[in-house]
Amino acid sequence: MSEVQKPVYGGQAVVEGVMFGGKHHTVTAVRRKDSTIVYYHLPRESKPVVNRLKKIPFLRGIVSLIQSSATGSKHLNFSTEQYEEEDDGEKQVETKKETKDPSKLSLWLGVAVIGVISFLFGKLLFTLIPVFLAKLTEPIFSGHTAQVLVESLFKLILLLVYIYVVSLTPLIKRVFQYHGAEHKVINCFESGKELSVANVQASSRLHYRCGSSFILFTVIVGMFVYLLVPIDPLWVRVVNRILLIPVVLGIAFEVLQLTNKVRDTPILRYLGYPGLWLQLLTTKAPTDDQVEVALASFQELLRMEKETEKKGLESDVIV
């Protein structure tokens, strides 16, 4: 199978594990404290309206972000629960019973909503704080262009400092290692190599489609978009920054997709390098044990995707 024909898979690092998503399923594998690996599976729901929206350029990025935030929150919640549980048989039985309880499902739905809100709130803070910081420098850096450039610089510094600080905590450092494992598995698969620990470890921990690259592109895209709108008075600047968040996100998503498409093209491949540089902070070299978990998650996803495709073909023949 050629690289072009291969299906596209995405992923996300979670607490002591990795989530991978395909066309029909999302699967998370988590290493528990007793060294066993447990799985969590969510089927992708096919919604005609959403599917149509995801075909519209610029708008599809917003829809994809909302979907990934909601789904990712559920997987992250599962991984956190598994990691925090004591290795007690009775506890495990109780947990399994609770997952079938409607209140538990309602809780997970709430977590998904919170995940989306948290993403939007975080984006709002990272958008507005640089506005006020740049305004303080107006006596020195006056003028429309200068203010936009200073604002973008503050936004970039804030982003880098935040990532660096959180990466110093042991838990986030391990999450970043699993993030690296996720990228290595995808790169190994896309290169056509056998999915083994050795081959995965030999693969790059950087990937053009990474969400880290997307975040950086929002800073770059935002700078060019803000050059086209007024910045005075301050309340106008604040309002247009808030209203332009969907616009910046939509354009940044298209830029991310573009850099991925041209990653094998000489010269154009460098368009994605800023995002790859940021991944040097958001990914860390994983251990073999962490790669094993990532592989377990990805192979389970491949198995489920294959089964679903097979059933789909069988259904077509019958119909």
Side-chain angles (χ1 to χ4, degrees):
M1 183 182 291
S2 67
E3 185 177 351
V4 176
Q5 294 174 318
K6 286 190 175 184
V8 176
Y9 296 107
Q12 173 185 321
V14 295
V15 178
E16 291 302 322
V18 176
M19 181 272 281
F20 283 108
K23 182 179 180 180
H24 307 288
H25 305 274
T26 56
V27 176
T28 285
V30 173
R31 174 91 68 183
R32 288 173 55 87
K33 292 180 180 179
D34 62 0
S35 296
T36 60
I37 297 177
V38 293
Y39 299 87
Y40 174 63
H41 159 247
L42 272 180
R44 286 192 184 277
E45 297 182 4
S46 180
K47 299 179 180 179
V49 175
V50 174
N51 292 338
R52 285 196 292 269
L53 291 176
K54 292 178 72 173
K55 294 180 181 179
I56 303 176
F58 303 106
L59 184 59
R60 60 187 175 185
I62 307 298
V63 177
S64 297
L65 282 173
I66 294 175
Q67 274 193 319
S68 61
S69 295
T71 302
S73 295
K74 295 179 182 179
H75 284 273
L76 184 59
N77 181 61
F78 168 79
S79 68
T80 303
E81 286 184 343
Q82 293 300 314
Y83 181 69
E84 291 179 347
E85 281 180 8
E86 298 178 0
D87 300 325
D88 181 80
E90 184 177 347
K91 175 72 174 179
Q92 292 179 31
V93 172
E94 289 178 358
T95 302
K96 290 180 180 179
K97 290 181 180 179
E98 288 176 356
T99 57
K100 297 179 182 180
D101 191 282
S103 61
K104 189 69 173 182
L105 294 177
S106 299
L107 175 62
W108 281 8
L109 178 60
V111 170
V113 173
I114 290 173
V116 175
I117 294 176
S118 297
F119 171 80
L120 294 176
F121 181 70
K123 179 59 182 172
L124 189 64
L125 286 180
F126 274 90
T127 298
L128 295 184
I129 290 177
V131 169
F132 295 106
L133 291 176
K135 187 66 176 179
L136 295 176
T137 69
E138 198 167 35
I140 303 175
F141 302 102
S142 59
H144 185 279
T145 301
Q147 274 292 291
V148 171
L149 292 177
V150 171
E151 178 185 333
S152 300
L153 179 61
F154 275 128
K155 187 180 296 186
L156 179 60
I157 293 174
L158 186 62
L159 174 65
L160 295 177
V161 170
Y162 172 77
I163 292 175
Y164 175 73
V165 171
V166 299
S167 70
L168 297 179
T169 63
L171 178 61
I172 299 301
K173 181 180 179 180
R174 288 189 63 80
V175 171
F176 283 179
Q177 285 180 294
Y178 277 107
H179 190 192
E182 172 223 326
H183 284 185
K184 282 175 173 284
V185 168
I186 292 294
N187 281 322
C188 183
F189 171 78
E190 291 181 344
S191 67
K193 297 178 182 178
E194 180 187 357
L195 292 174
S196 65
V197 173
N199 286 341
V200 169
Q201 285 286 37
S203 301
S204 173
R205 76 175 201 262
L206 310 180
H207 199 286
Y208 276 82
R209 287 199 313 272
C210 179
S212 302
S213 297
F214 170 75
I215 293 174
L216 183 62
F217 287 143
T218 63
V219 177
I220 299 173
V221 168
M223 179 181 68
F224 288 103
V225 171
Y226 299 155
L227 287 172
L228 305 176
V229 296
I231 63 172
D232 292 313
L234 180 60
W235 71 267
V236 171
R237 188 170 180 177
V238 170
V239 170
N240 68 39
R241 293 301 185 266
I242 295 174
L243 295 179
L244 286 172
I245 286 178
V247 176
V248 172
L249 292 177
I251 297 175
F253 183 84
E254 299 301 324
V255 172
L256 180 69
Q257 299 300 310
L258 175 64
T259 58
N260 182 62
K261 290 179 180 178
V262 300
R263 62 180 177 175
D264 295 322
T265 304
I267 301 179
L268 294 180
R269 65 184 302 175
Y270 295 108
L271 292 174
Y273 272 37
L276 298 181
W277 293 334
L278 182 61
Q279 290 175 44
L280 294 175
L281 286 178
T282 62
T283 65
K284 302 295 181 184
T287 64
D288 286 351
D289 287 346
Q290 291 169 323
V291 168
E292 287 176 0
V293 176
L295 273 174
S297 176
F298 190 64
Q299 289 171 334
E300 177 66 10
L301 174 66
L302 292 181
R303 182 189 68 79
M304 299 188 75
E305 290 283 296
K306 185 177 181 180
E307 285 186 358
T308 300
E309 292 290 346
K310 183 177 180 181
K311 290 178 182 178
L313 291 174
E314 290 176 350
S315 297
D316 291 340
V317 171
I318 293 174
V319 172

